[in-house]
Amino acid sequence: MTFSNLNQEQADAVQTTDGPLLVLAGAGTGKTRVLTSRIINIVNSHLASPMQILAVTFTNKAAKEMKERMAREIGDQVNNLWVGTFHSVAAKILRRHPEIVGLGSDFTIIDADDQGRLLKQILSDFNIDTKQFPAKAYLGKISRLKDAMAFPQNVKEDESGGLPKLKAIYESYQTRLKAMNGADFGDLLLYNIEIFKNAPNILAYYQDKFRYILVDEYQDTNSSQYQWLLSLATLHQNICCVGDDDQSIYSWRGADIKNILRFEEDFADAKIIRLEQNYRSTSNILDAADSVIKNNKSRHGKKLWTEVGQGSKVTLAAFMDDRSESAFVANKIADILAANKIKADEIAVLVRAGYQTRSFEEAFISVSIPYRVIGGMKFYERMEVRDSVAYMRICANLNDDLALNRIINNPKRGVGSTTIANILQYGRQNDISFFAAIKELLQNGDIKGKAKDSLQDLINKIASYNEQINDASLGEMAKNILQDFGYINMWESENSVESKGRLENINEFINSLDDFSTMTEFLEYISLVEAKDERNVSGEAVNIMTIHGAKGLEFDMVFVPGLEDGVFPSGKSIEEKNGVEEERRLMYVAITRAKKDLILSYAKSRYVYGSMQTQIPSRFLKELPQNQIDMQDASRNNFSHFSGLENDFSQGYGKFIAKKPNYKDVTDSMEGKRIFHQKFGYGTVIEVNGNKLSINFEKTGSKILMKDFVSLAD
């Protein structure tokens, strides 16, 4: 084959066929082209037959794309290649030798639902309270242990993550899987490694068979994938790993950056080729990415360059608060779309966490921008948000049967389906609400056992909150309701990556409620949001997604909001060893998604867990090349330029927002004092009643608010 379509470094990687090779492929440098061209070159040069080549990827989509590209060059020979994901290739090997690990030839690979059901049975046998320690928490921990190559006998007590009897439960889980002739996805690689260890002849066969091994996204490999590859590559050592240490962003699901960093230690004669010519972005964008990522210590090092041109400066904008930030993004996009400068599909808003999508969704709806949330549901469609709304609805309206039906057993209250059916039937027969039916049946003694106590407690709480639904700010009321009914604790107990995301969404939901004066106003708004969303589902649309979900994608214009310490980098990462370095890699990924225009932004204050807090700009912003950044301060005179970030880093933002009083300051003596509220503006305290303030606002009239939601203005 000819290499005229490859640059010098790409051609070098394709033609270096013998020995271990690490290709450090920066963002937008054509790594897929190199991988496929390399395989085609090996086949066409008769260095190996297709069946002697193993290529592993992380997704079926990537494997399919590689096959399609190669088919155009080598035709049907592509069907003889071993190309697939780690799990699919490992499953193929396990099917050939199941007896080595005690499985039958017809073993079943069980999915996540079956895993969950099996674990629930085991937890019941061990008398584990699944409300406090859910099956999902055990499943997540066991999966991580398998990624780290830890069988039950290798688990130490300090690795339990607070889950009782983890070692024994893991052991029981594996025994039950074996008994039912089953394996989960984590087992596939582990059983392969066990086969290689216990049957040297089988290992020798596959070592000889795979003369050439190619690995995509090597920076994302975990311990079991690493060991599996190492075992297979020992003989011929013709292994080519393509990856980018600067884009290693999945440690939370087991990926270990050390695998790519120690490649030269694992293979003594390894060659490293750096792909640094970027075909995607302007030089200003690449310089910004390099300026940030070079602050990481754990990396091989490279510097991307391009022939695309310098392009526009990267914009960095500061805003008074998060609402101003999302409004700016929406208005800017609306202007761009109106002028037909960029198609909606070529615009993306990349957020650090899923909960951040809400403010942008609402801002887009307000100015009729079509949008889609990639990799997740729209905010108000998310299960935990719908559940939270249902709790507020039933507390506001005792006759809301749909809301009560949704939350009656969420979290589990021991109310069986038969009991619920009987209640519903009684309500229909007597033409009364679901709530009233429960109340009457309890009074009549027709509900017994555990369900009786649970339902009595439930309706008592609902009735109590119904009486006080308008006595406090909606945000505070929602927080109290969701805590009191055990909904927040349900997700806290699960203690998984998924549950942490759901908790973030719940907190964002609580924050959103303080934009509304009454529950009626909020529920009407939700209905309107959902109605408007229907018009934004199809056709061209702006993309909203997390940065993790954006990896591998590219857009003409990219917005990266929320660049504040505690948001990006996340608060948790700041406290963890090597956490900030991974967050910096995530920042690098976000920047390099942009082809032409990149707009970074931060808010000087934002609602966090129901209260307005001052924010410190992300430490990553200090690392940007200041001479190539267009800095704009939208918190002052409509985008006046400012010279740097030092004031915002060092002086705080007392001049921008009112200061929060101490609780001791909220006394009767505050009567007559001037205060500030984020939504309602300035007002005067008329009366103090405990934690509640009667306030006459200058623009919106009289309101009763909790003390935590106002600030002293003077």
Side-chain angles (χ1 to χ4, degrees), residues 562-565 568-569 602 616-622 645 649:
L563 282 162
E564 305 128 35
D565 269 15
F568 192 8
Y602 67 96
I616 298 175
S618 170
R619 61 195 66 195
F620 303 147
L621 298 181
K622 273 188 169 182
L645 295 164
F649 276 109

Side-chain angles (χ1 to χ4, degrees), residues 301-368:
K302 62 183 176 306
K303 188 177 190 317
L304 300 183
W305 62 276
T306 184
E307 295 179 344
V308 171
Q310 187 172 10
S312 305
K313 284 187 174 184
V314 173
T315 297
L316 172 58
F319 297 91
M320 174 75 106
D321 52 41
D322 48 332
R323 186 179 301 160
S324 304
E325 182 182 46
S326 56
F328 161 78
V329 173
N331 289 325
K332 187 171 182 66
I333 292 174
D335 291 343
I336 289 168
L337 296 180
N340 292 315
K341 292 182 178 179
I342 303 176
K343 290 183 177 180
D345 289 350
E346 287 296 331
I347 302 173
V349 179
L350 306 184
V351 296
R352 173 60 184 87
Y355 74 87
Q356 293 174 264
T357 70
R358 180 193 65 86
S359 61
F360 294 99
E361 289 183 58
E362 295 184 354
F364 288 1
I365 289 169
S366 70
V367 293
S368 301

Side-chain angles (χ1 to χ4, degrees), residues 597-646:
D597 294 291
L598 176 65
I599 300 93
L600 312 174
S601 61
Y602 67 96
K604 298 181 177 185
S605 60
R606 106 174 21 249
Y607 267 106
V608 181
Y609 302 115
S611 63
M612 181 62 74
Q613 295 185 10
T614 58
Q615 298 292 101
I616 298 175
S618 170
R619 61 195 66 195
F620 303 147
L621 298 181
K622 273 188 169 182
E623 299 167 356
L624 293 168
Q626 303 296 302
N627 62 325
Q628 293 167 269
I629 304 295
D630 181 18
M631 297 184 186
Q632 302 176 348
D633 191 344
S635 69
R636 308 182 197 176
N637 304 320
N638 193 25
F639 276 94
S640 62
H641 288 260
F642 63 105
S643 58
L645 295 164
E646 295 305 317

Side-chain angles (χ1 to χ4, degrees), residues 2 58 86 175 179 224 244 258 280 306 315 328 343 345 387 403-404 406 425 516 526 530 536 578 607 703 714:
T2 62
F58 274 86
F86 280 95
T175 302
S224 61
D244 185 2
K258 291 197 294 288
R280 174 188 300 162
T306 184
T315 297
F328 161 78
K343 290 183 177 180
D345 289 350
D387 289 345
L404 182 53
R406 184 179 182 98
Q425 185 179 8
F516 305 92
I526 290 293
E530 292 176 344
N536 295 331
N578 302 320
Y607 267 106
K703 299 188 183 293
D714 302 322

